[in-house]
Amino acid sequence: MEKNATIYVAGHTGLVGSAIVNKLEVEGYENIIVKTHQELDLTRQAEVEDFFQAERPEYLILTAAKVGGIQANIAYPGEFIYENIAIQTNCLHTSYLYGVKKLIFLGSACSYPRESPQPMKEEYLLSGPLEPTNESYAIAKIAGIKMCEAYNRQYDTNFVCALPTNAYGPNDNFDPNDSHVIPALIRKFHEAKIKRDTPVIIWGTGNPRREFIYVDDLADACIFLMNNYNGTEIINIGVGEDTSIKELTYIVKDVVGYRGEVVFDTSKPDGMPRKMLDVSKLHNLGWQAKTTLTKGIAETYKWYLKYTQ
Ligand code: GFB
């Protein structure tokens, strides 16, 4: 991407979009376009077309999506399938209509089969049934991936699809019910520390394993792919190692400085038993994540204290 190109970052108020805008600014990109949800509702095709007609973005970084943790996915499957399919369909089709030079669409590691061999290679997509707790979200993302492939094939577009692992970091959603596990644990441990409330309840058995990427690393990887990758084949973005929810619990507990008891509530769902990406394709292109889990959680906790307390 040229430094003076017009780059539309869809979803700039979210976790990933905000980190991408920050990184683009630091790297000297001068023409970044953003729109709030009030200014542009991406689920409305006509609004999206009017926006592309007026602004003519040359590049699109598509991070806008309805996202949430395991409980949000269980509670709102209709919203997850509708909003994600609408947003991505409108953005991808309009990008084709208005000749966007290149875009990156973010899929998700949860699009891989529930019982996928680990680590998950790109070719395992659609090789088995999905994890039921996030099937709507996964199906929507698979539809986006397949739409990119189909448009590249039929219209010779340059639509890149990346599948990131679970992201976390500053600007995350810390809602106790709907958030992902890292922001949820930061908030639970912090509030328990302040209120001297014990025990802290962790959902599930603690046995599932997840791979977590710090959002600044994910932003860096997306910009790297925009500048260095043109394939139609999907590409995983991860860190190359995973952690059990139990190990994660004790890392967050230490970072926050909570000294009380922890209880695992096994009546809550575990979700997918293990989710870890094979990142050899990305490594072979020359990109690797830099931030350790403990450092990333410490940065996120600092942000949480500064901006939410
Ligand atoms: O982050 P999380 O909601 O996402 O949960 P998933 C990860 C694991 O942490 C699950 C456990 O095994 C949860 O049961 N966990 C323990 C908790 N305590 C908590 C808590 O207080 N809050 C939360 N949220 N989890 C999502 C998908 O799955 O991953 C989405 O549902 C999306 O579609 C996202 O793909 C990245 O990794 O299980």
Side-chain angles (χ1 to χ4, degrees):
M1 292 182 293
E2 311 75 34
K3 297 284 174 182
N4 62 352
T6 45
I7 305 169
Y8 171 41
V9 181
H12 75 287
T13 55
L15 171 69
V16 184
S18 59
I20 289 178
V21 169
N22 287 341
K23 188 130 272 185
L24 286 171
E25 284 173 352
V26 167
E27 293 189 2
Y29 290 91
E30 295 158 3
N31 280 317
I32 305 163
I33 310 172
V34 294
K35 292 282 168 200
T36 62
H37 191 81
Q38 285 68 35
E39 290 168 326
L40 173 59
D41 181 348
L42 294 171
T43 64
R44 303 275 166 190
Q45 176 70 17
E47 284 190 32
V48 177
E49 284 189 13
D50 289 347
F51 162 73
F52 274 69
Q53 169 74 38
E55 306 268 355
R56 300 280 174 161
E58 291 168 85
Y59 297 97
L60 168 61
I61 300 183
L62 179 46
T63 70
K66 166 87 182 168
V67 297
I70 191 166
Q71 191 146 289
N73 274 265
I74 293 170
Y76 321 118
E79 291 173 38
F80 275 83
I81 199 158
Y82 166 68
E83 289 181 31
N84 285 308
I85 286 184
I87 291 168
Q88 73 208 25
T89 302
N90 293 340
C91 289
L92 296 175
H93 185 64
T94 313
S95 294
Y96 152 64
L97 290 180
Y98 285 87
V100 164
K101 286 185 194 163
K102 181 171 183 178
L103 64 79
I104 187 165
F105 167 68
L106 295 186
S108 168
C110 71
S111 296
Y112 286 107
R114 174 184 161 83
E115 305 291 345
S116 173
Q118 304 284 327
M120 303 186 287
K121 290 183 192 292
E122 285 85 353
E123 61 259 35
Y124 299 163
L125 196 77
L126 290 175
S127 61
L130 297 164
E131 156 63 33
T133 57
N134 58 215
E135 194 182 62
S136 283
Y137 181 72
I139 291 275
K141 290 293 185 181
I142 291 169
I145 294 164
K146 289 293 158 191
M147 186 162 169
C148 289
E149 281 179 18
Y151 275 48
N152 287 347
R153 204 177 316 130
Q154 184 173 349
Y155 305 124
D156 207 24
T157 45
N158 192 356
F159 292 179
V160 169
C161 274
L163 272 68
T165 194
N166 292 24
Y168 70 98
N171 231 344
D172 212 336
N173 168 18
F174 290 84
D175 182 281
N177 297 313
D178 291 346
S179 69
H180 290 104
V181 62
I182 291 183
L185 295 195
I186 288 178
R187 179 167 175 172
K188 282 183 186 177
F189 282 126
H190 177 74
E191 290 182 351
K193 181 175 89 170
I194 300 299
K195 294 180 192 152
R196 297 179 187 283
D197 209 6
T198 196
V200 166
I201 311 292
I202 310 296
W203 299 348
T205 58
N207 296 329
R209 300 188 69 84
R210 295 288 183 271
E211 178 190 20
F212 298 101
I213 188 164
Y214 187 57
V215 73
D216 285 356
D217 284 342
L218 175 53
D220 193 53
C222 292
I223 297 169
F224 173 85
L225 289 175
M226 282 300 275
N227 287 323
N228 296 285
Y229 180 72
N230 291 309
T232 279
E233 287 174 16
I234 58 171
I235 183 152
N236 289 336
I237 304 179
V239 300
E241 54 186 62
D242 66 354
T243 311
S244 75
I245 297 302
K246 200 167 278 166
E247 289 158 353
L248 174 75
T249 296
Y250 292 104
I251 296 173
V252 180
K253 180 174 179 276
D254 281 354
V255 167
V256 172
Y258 166 78
R259 300 196 199 292
E261 198 194 341
V262 168
V263 168
F264 288 86
D265 176 359
T266 53
S267 70
K268 294 280 190 188
D270 270 345
M272 207 153 145
R274 190 174 180 206
K275 228 187 324 183
M276 177 174 158
L277 296 173
D278 183 307
V279 283
S280 28
K281 231 168 125 175
L282 189 57
H283 284 182
N284 289 340
L285 284 174
W287 189 92
Q288 287 206 359
K290 295 189 191 77
T291 314
T292 63
L293 186 57
T294 307
K295 167 103 170 82
I297 290 173
E299 289 299 320
T300 311
Y301 184 46
K302 252 194 245 166
W303 185 92
Y304 174 82
L305 290 175
K306 188 163 175 197
Y307 292 102
T308 71
Q309 297 303 294

